[in-house]
C-alpha cells in the first residue's frame, strides 16, 4: 500500500515538473504574433525611449523596431547603404522620408546640417542617451541648420550654428524637446540666434491635424547657449507661458510662441 502511494506521489511530482517546463519553454504570447502584427504594435510606441528599448530585447525585435516602415536612420558608420531605410546623411534621409516618418540620427561624431528645408511633417531624434551625443553642425555662411515649413518635432539633438540661427521656423507647429541649441561666440554674436520664427497670420498653412492649434513653436527642457537673443520672432507671434532657469553656464527654457 505504501509503495502504491509513493508511486502516485512520484507521478504527481513529475506531472507538476513537466507542466512547469512546458510553460517556461513555450514562447511568450506576444512572440507568437507574426512580424506585421508585432510591427504594428511597435508603431504605437514613442520612438525614444520605448521603441528604442524594444530594439534591445532580441534580434527579431531589433529588426522590427528599427524597420524603415517605423523610422529611417542616418548612420555614417554603416558601409553598405543598400539596406533600406539607412542613409549616410540627414539631407538624403529627409528627401526619402514620407510625411509622418521618424528619422533617427546616430550618435557619435558630427553631422552636417546647413539650409535643409523640411516641407513635410517629420520627427528628427538623436540616437544617443543625451543630446550632446548627437551633434549637428551648421557651418558659417548658412542661414540655419533647418528651415521648417511644416509641423515637425526635434528631440534629443545638439544643433550648433557658427553664424546665423540653429532652427528657422516658417510655418507649421514646431516642437523642440530635450535639445541643446548653441550659437558659437564670436564678434558677430548679435547676428546669431538659436531660434528664429517668421510665421505670421498671412502665411499660415496648418496641416489637417493642427487646425485647432495653428502655427507656433513649443520648447521644453532645452538648453540655449550663445546669441544675443534666445528667440527672435516677427509678425504677430509672441512668447507665452515662459519659464526660464538661469545657471552659470546655460539657460534652460520652457515656452510657447503663439499668434496674438
Amino acid at each position: 500500500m505504501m509503495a502504491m502511494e509513493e508511486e502516485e506521489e512520484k507521478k504527481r511530482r513529475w506531472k507538476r515538473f513537466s507542466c512547469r517546463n512546458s510553460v517556461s519553454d513555450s514562447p511568450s504570447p506576444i512572440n507568437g504574433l507574426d512580424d506585421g502584427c508585432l510591427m504594428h504594435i511597435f508603431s504605437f510606441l514613442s520612438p525614444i525611449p520605448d521603441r528604442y528599448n524594444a530594439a534591445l530585447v532580441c534580434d527579431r525585435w531589433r529588426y522590427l523596431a528599427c524597420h524603415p516602415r517605423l523610422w529611417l536612420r542616418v548612420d555614417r558608420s554603416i558601409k553598405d547603404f543598400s539596406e533600406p531605410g539607412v542613409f549616410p546623411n540627414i539631407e538624403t534621409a529627409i528627401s526619402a522620408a514620407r510625411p509622418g516618418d521618424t528619422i533617427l540620427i546616430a550618435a557619435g561624431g558630427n553631422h552636417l546640417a546647413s539650409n535643409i528645408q523640411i516641407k513635410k511633417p517629420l520627427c528628427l531624434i538623436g540616437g544617443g542617451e543625451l543630446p550632446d551625443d548627437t551633434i549637428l553642425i551648421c557651418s558659417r555662411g548658412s542661414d540655419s541648420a533647418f528651415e521648417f515649413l511644416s509641423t515637425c518635432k526635434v528631440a534629443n539633438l545638439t544643433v550648433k550654428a557658427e553664424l546665423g540661427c540653429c532652427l528657422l521656423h516658417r510655418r507649421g507647429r514646431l516642437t523642440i524637446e530635450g535639445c541643446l541649441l548653441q550659437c558659437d561666440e564670436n564678434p558677430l554674436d548679435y547676428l546669431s540666434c538659436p531660434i528664429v520664427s517668421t510665421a505670421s497670420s498671412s502665411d499660415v498653412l496648418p496641416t489637417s491635424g493642427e487646425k485647432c492649434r495653428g502655427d507656433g513653436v513649443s520648447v521644453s527642457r532645452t538648453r540655449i547657449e550663445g546669441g544675443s537673443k534666445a528667440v527672435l520672432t516677427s509678425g504677430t507671434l509672441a512668447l507665452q507661458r515662459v519659464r526660464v532657469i538661469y545657471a552659470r553656464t546655460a539657460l534652460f527654457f520652457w515656452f510657447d510662441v503663439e499668434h496674438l
Side-chain angles (χ1 to χ4, degrees):
M1 186 70 176
M2 291 290 295
M4 291 178 62
E5 290 179 356
E6 289 177 2
E7 187 65 25
E8 289 295 326
E9 181 63 24
K10 285 182 181 179
K11 288 181 179 180
R12 285 194 294 269
R13 287 179 182 177
W14 173 253
K15 187 175 181 180
R16 287 197 298 269
F17 176 77
S18 299
C19 288
R20 284 198 300 269
N21 278 353
S22 63
V23 170
S24 61
D25 292 340
S26 63
S28 172
I30 194 170
N31 280 329
L33 300 174
D34 60 40
D35 288 354
C37 227
L38 194 55
M39 193 184 302
H40 183 66
I41 293 173
F42 288 163
S43 69
F44 292 99
L45 300 177
S46 60
I48 300 292
D50 297 331
R51 204 184 301 162
Y52 180 82
N53 290 335
L56 304 177
V57 173
C58 62
D59 290 341
R60 183 190 178 211
W61 282 36
R62 181 172 67 248
Y63 170 77
L64 296 177
C66 296
H67 196 279
R69 277 176 53 188
L70 298 183
W71 53 15
L72 309 180
R73 287 183 292 154
V74 175
D75 193 343
R76 297 177 304 165
S77 65
I78 296 178
K79 303 301 180 183
D80 182 14
F81 289 101
S82 62
E83 180 182 347
V86 182
F87 301 89
N89 56 65
I90 298 172
E91 195 162 9
T92 55
I94 290 175
S95 297
R98 297 166 299 180
D101 277 350
T102 298
I103 299 175
L104 180 68
I105 304 172
N110 296 333
H111 299 267
L112 182 63
S114 295
N115 292 334
I116 299 178
Q117 281 193 341
I118 303 180
K119 300 180 180 180
K120 48 195 168 186
L122 294 176
C123 181
L124 308 178
I125 297 180
E129 294 184 6
L130 299 171
D132 306 275
D133 297 332
T134 311
I135 301 175
L136 277 54
I137 302 294
C138 177
S139 59
R140 183 183 293 267
S142 301
D143 294 331
S144 63
F146 297 108
E147 182 180 354
F148 297 94
L149 295 97
S150 182
T151 296
C152 293
K153 180 177 181 179
V154 180
N156 199 39
L157 289 170
T158 293
V159 183
K160 293 185 177 182
E162 293 183 6
L163 189 63
C165 65
C166 297
L167 305 177
L168 176 57
H169 169 248
R170 296 291 191 188
R171 57 176 175 261
R173 185 138 197 101
L174 175 61
T175 300
I176 305 166
E177 184 177 302
C179 290
L180 166 59
L181 306 180
Q182 187 177 62
C183 293
D184 290 349
E185 295 182 3
N186 55 64
L188 300 177
D189 192 48
Y190 65 94
L191 296 177
S192 300
C193 189
I195 303 172
V196 173
S197 179
T198 63
S200 64
S201 57
S202 61
D203 61 1
V204 171
L205 291 175
T207 61
S208 58
E210 297 290 342
K211 284 181 179 178
C212 60
R213 299 178 65 184
D215 289 3
V217 181
S218 294
V219 181
S220 64
R221 298 185 295 106
T222 292
R223 192 162 83 243
I224 294 178
E225 298 177 351
S228 60
K229 297 180 180 179
V231 183
L232 180 63
T233 66
S234 64
T236 58
L237 294 174
L239 288 178
Q240 298 182 359
R241 295 180 289 279
V242 180
R243 291 185 294 161
V244 181
I245 298 178
Y246 175 77
R248 180 172 295 180
T249 59
L251 292 175
F252 295 85
F253 278 86
W254 291 258
F255 63 82
D256 288 333
V257 181
E258 301 283 359
H259 289 289
L260 291 173

Coordinates of all heavy atoms in Angstrom, one line a residue, residues 32 39 82 96 110 122 132 134 143-144 146 161 164 178 187 201 212 216 218 225 244 246 251-252:
G32 N 4.4 35.1 -30.4 CA 3.6 34.2 -31.3 C 3.0 35.0 -32.4 O 2.5 34.4 -33.4
M39 N 5.0 44.6 -35.6 CA 5.5 45.9 -36.0 C 4.4 46.9 -35.8 O 4.7 48.1 -35.5 CB 5.9 45.8 -37.5 CG 6.7 47.0 -38.0 SD 7.1 46.9 -39.7 CE 8.0 45.4 -39.8
S82 N 22.9 49.9 -49.0 CA 21.9 49.3 -49.8 C 20.7 48.8 -48.9 O 19.6 48.5 -49.4 CB 22.4 48.1 -50.6 OG 23.0 47.1 -49.7
A96 N 14.1 61.3 -48.7 CA 13.4 60.0 -48.9 C 12.2 59.8 -48.0 O 11.4 58.9 -48.2 CB 14.4 58.9 -48.7
N110 N 30.1 64.3 -35.8 CA 29.3 65.5 -36.1 C 28.6 65.2 -37.5 O 29.1 64.6 -38.4 CB 30.2 66.7 -36.3 CG 30.8 67.1 -34.9 OD1 30.3 66.8 -33.9 ND2 32.0 67.7 -35.0
L122 N 7.7 65.7 -40.1 CA 8.7 64.7 -39.7 C 9.1 64.9 -38.3 O 8.9 65.9 -37.7 CB 10.0 64.9 -40.6 CG 9.8 64.7 -42.1 CD1 11.2 65.0 -42.8 CD2 9.4 63.2 -42.4
D132 N 23.9 65.8 -26.2 CA 25.3 66.0 -26.5 C 25.9 64.9 -27.3 O 27.0 65.0 -28.0 CB 26.1 66.2 -25.3 CG 25.6 67.3 -24.4 OD1 25.9 68.5 -24.6 OD2 24.8 67.0 -23.5
T134 N 24.6 63.5 -30.0 CA 24.3 63.6 -31.4 C 24.4 65.1 -31.8 O 23.5 65.9 -31.4 CB 22.9 63.1 -31.8 OG1 22.8 61.8 -31.2 CG2 22.7 63.0 -33.2
D143 N 22.1 80.1 -43.5 CA 21.1 80.9 -42.7 C 20.7 80.1 -41.5 O 20.4 80.7 -40.4 CB 19.9 81.2 -43.6 CG 20.2 82.1 -44.7 OD1 21.1 82.9 -44.6 OD2 19.6 82.0 -45.8
S144 N 20.6 78.8 -41.6 CA 20.2 77.9 -40.5 C 20.5 76.5 -40.7 O 20.9 76.1 -41.9 CB 18.6 78.1 -40.3 OG 18.0 77.6 -41.5
F146 N 18.2 74.0 -40.0 CA 16.9 73.5 -40.6 C 16.0 74.7 -40.8 O 15.9 75.6 -40.0 CB 16.2 72.5 -39.7 CG 17.0 71.2 -39.5 CD1 17.6 71.0 -38.3 CD2 17.1 70.3 -40.5 CE1 18.4 69.8 -38.1 CE2 17.8 69.1 -40.4 CZ 18.5 68.9 -39.2
A161 N 25.3 76.4 -34.5 CA 25.4 77.3 -35.6 C 26.6 78.2 -35.4 O 26.8 78.9 -34.4 CB 24.1 78.1 -35.7
G164 N 24.4 82.7 -37.7 CA 23.1 82.6 -38.2 C 22.2 82.0 -37.1 O 22.4 82.2 -35.9
G178 N 14.1 68.6 -25.3 CA 15.3 68.0 -24.8 C 16.5 68.2 -25.7 O 17.3 67.3 -25.8
P187 N 32.7 87.8 -32.5 CA 32.4 89.2 -32.6 C 31.1 89.6 -33.2 O 30.6 90.7 -33.0 CB 33.6 89.8 -33.4 CG 34.7 88.8 -33.2 CD 34.0 87.5 -33.1
S201 N 0.2 85.4 -39.5 CA -1.1 85.0 -39.8 C -1.4 85.0 -41.3 O -2.3 84.4 -41.8 CB -2.2 85.9 -39.2 OG -1.9 87.3 -39.5
C212 N -6.7 73.2 -35.2 CA -7.2 73.9 -34.0 C -6.1 74.5 -33.2 O -6.3 75.4 -32.4 CB -7.9 72.8 -33.1 SG -6.8 71.5 -32.6
G216 N 3.1 77.7 -34.6 CA 3.8 78.2 -33.4 C 5.0 77.3 -33.1 O 5.3 76.3 -33.8
S218 N 6.9 75.3 -29.8 CA 6.9 74.9 -28.4 C 8.2 74.3 -28.0 O 8.8 73.5 -28.7 CB 5.8 73.8 -28.1 OG 4.5 74.3 -28.4
E225 N 22.3 78.3 -25.6 CA 23.6 79.0 -25.3 C 24.0 79.9 -26.5 O 23.8 79.5 -27.6 CB 24.7 77.9 -25.1 CG 24.4 77.0 -23.9 CD 25.5 75.9 -23.7 OE1 26.3 75.8 -24.7 OE2 25.5 75.2 -22.7
V244 N 12.0 80.1 -17.3 CA 13.5 80.1 -17.5 C 14.2 79.7 -16.2 O 13.9 80.3 -15.2 CB 14.0 81.4 -18.1 CG1 15.5 81.3 -18.4 CG2 13.2 81.8 -19.3
Y246 N 18.0 80.0 -14.9 CA 19.3 80.5 -15.2 C 20.4 79.8 -14.4 O 20.3 79.7 -13.2 CB 19.4 82.0 -14.9 CG 20.7 82.6 -15.1 CD1 21.2 82.9 -16.4 CD2 21.6 82.9 -14.0 CE1 22.4 83.5 -16.6 CE2 22.8 83.5 -14.2 CZ 23.3 83.7 -15.5 OH 24.5 84.3 -15.7
L251 N 21.2 78.5 -20.0 CA 19.8 78.9 -19.7 C 18.9 77.7 -20.2 O 19.0 77.2 -21.3 CB 19.4 80.1 -20.5 CG 20.0 81.5 -20.1 CD1 19.6 82.6 -21.0 CD2 19.6 81.8 -18.7
F252 N 18.0 77.3 -19.3 CA 17.1 76.2 -19.6 C 15.7 76.8 -19.8 O 15.2 77.5 -19.0 CB 17.0 75.2 -18.5 CG 18.3 74.4 -18.3 CD1 19.3 75.0 -17.5 CD2 18.5 73.2 -18.9 CE1 20.5 74.3 -17.3 CE2 19.7 72.5 -18.7 CZ 20.7 73.1 -18.0

